[in-house]
Amino acid sequence: MLAYVSLWSADLLALGEAVDKVAAVADAFHIDVFDGHNALELLFGPDVVAALRSRTDKLLDVHLNVTDPDYWLGRFVDAGADMVTVQGEASADIRATLNLVRARGAHPSLGLEVHEPVARAEALFDAVDRVLLMGTVIGVKGGDLDPGAPQRVSALVAARARRFGAGLGPTIVVDGGIRPHTVKSLADAGADGVVPGSLVFASPDPVARICELHAMGPVPAP
C-alpha cells in the first residue's frame, strides 16, 4: 500500500526533521489545508508547501478544505504542490475545478466525505488521478474509522474495474482513522493506499511502520 504521510501529526516545531526522517520510504507527504470555514481548524498555508518543496523531492499532496478552492489551488500549485485534493461540496462546479488543477500542472484528486455516496466519485473517475475517501469527519483528529469505510472502498474498486479494467483508473486512498487495527481491513478491501499520521510519527520506528504498510499490498505509482 501507498503511504501518503500526513504532516499534521508530525512535530510542527521540527517539520523539516520529520520529513527527513521518513523521506527515504514515504510515497508522498500529505498537507491538510483548513481555512476555518469548510473545516473548523486553521492549518498549513502555501509558504509551508514552498518550504517543504525546497526540502524534499517527494510528491507533495495538498488536501484543500477551503471555501474557495478555485483560488487556493493555484496558490498551492505555484508553491510546489504536485497533487491537489478538492472536496466536491466545496466547489460550485467540481469537474471544472478538477480540470483546473490538471491545467495548472498538478494531479487532480477528489475528496469523498463520509456522508457522500460513492456514486459521486464514480461519476468523476475520468477527471481525477485519485479518489481520497475520508475515513472520518473532516477536521477531526484521532477519530475512529467509519465502519462503512472498507465496504465503500470495495465499491469504488469494483466500479473502477468495471470502468477501466484491472490495474487502471484512479488510485483509491483512505484518509482518517488509520490505525494498526484498521489498515488490514482497508487493504483487504482493495485500497491502494492510506494517509497515516500518528501511525507513523507516534511509532518508535516510523520508517519500519511505513515499510509495514508497503508490505500489505502492491504499491502503485502515487
Side-chain angles (χ1 to χ4, degrees), residues 100-198:
L100 182 57
V101 173
R102 195 180 298 281
R104 292 298 300 261
H107 297 285
S109 168
L110 174 70
L112 190 69
E113 297 191 48
V114 171
H115 66 275
E116 293 183 281
V118 296
R120 290 186 182 177
E122 294 173 27
L124 291 163
F125 271 170
D126 62 305
V128 299
D129 293 338
R130 184 185 72 180
V131 174
L132 187 69
L133 182 84
M134 297 306 300
T136 59
V137 175
I138 285 177
V140 176
K141 195 173 184 180
D144 291 331
L145 182 72
D146 176 69
Q151 189 277 330
R152 284 158 62 79
V153 169
S154 295
L156 285 168
V157 169
R160 180 180 63 182
R162 289 193 300 269
R163 178 86 169 266
F164 299 100
L168 301 174
T171 54
I172 297 166
V173 174
V174 181
D175 180 9
I178 307 305
R179 305 284 181 268
H181 64 282
T182 62
V183 174
K184 185 177 186 305
S185 66
L186 298 172
D188 290 345
D192 298 303
V194 291
V195 179
S198 59

Side-chain angles (χ1 to χ4, degrees), residues 25-222:
V25 292
D27 298 292
F29 290 105
H30 184 86
I31 302 115
D32 284 299
V33 177
F34 299 146
D35 66 355
H37 297 287
N38 197 49
L40 297 180
E41 291 285 351
L42 295 172
L43 198 65
F44 296 139
D47 286 349
V48 172
V49 172
L52 290 166
R53 180 76 292 156
S54 68
R55 187 88 177 200
T56 179
D57 60 2
K58 287 298 175 101
L59 185 144
L60 297 182
D61 165 30
V62 169
H63 186 184
L64 291 182
N65 292 282
V66 298
T67 55
D68 189 358
D70 287 8
Y71 168 75
W72 284 108
L73 70 87
R75 294 281 306 277
F76 280 95
V77 172
D78 288 346
D82 301 297
M83 176 176 281
V84 177
T85 297
V86 181
Q87 300 300 132
E89 293 184 349
S91 172
D93 185 341
I94 185 59
R95 181 176 288 275
T97 300
L98 293 167
N99 288 342
L100 182 57
V101 173
R102 195 180 298 281
R104 292 298 300 261
H107 297 285
S109 168
L110 174 70
L112 190 69
E113 297 191 48
V114 171
H115 66 275
E116 293 183 281
V118 296
R120 290 186 182 177
E122 294 173 27
L124 291 163
F125 271 170
D126 62 305
V128 299
D129 293 338
R130 184 185 72 180
V131 174
L132 187 69
L133 182 84
M134 297 306 300
T136 59
V137 175
I138 285 177
V140 176
K141 195 173 184 180
D144 291 331
L145 182 72
D146 176 69
Q151 189 277 330
R152 284 158 62 79
V153 169
S154 295
L156 285 168
V157 169
R160 180 180 63 182
R162 289 193 300 269
R163 178 86 169 266
F164 299 100
L168 301 174
T171 54
I172 297 166
V173 174
V174 181
D175 180 9
I178 307 305
R179 305 284 181 268
H181 64 282
T182 62
V183 174
K184 185 177 186 305
S185 66
L186 298 172
D188 290 345
D192 298 303
V194 291
V195 179
S198 59
L199 183 68
V200 169
F201 288 116
S203 170
D205 191 340
V207 170
R209 180 66 84 182
I210 294 172
C211 291
E212 289 171 6
L213 293 174
H214 287 165
M216 297 187 77
V219 181

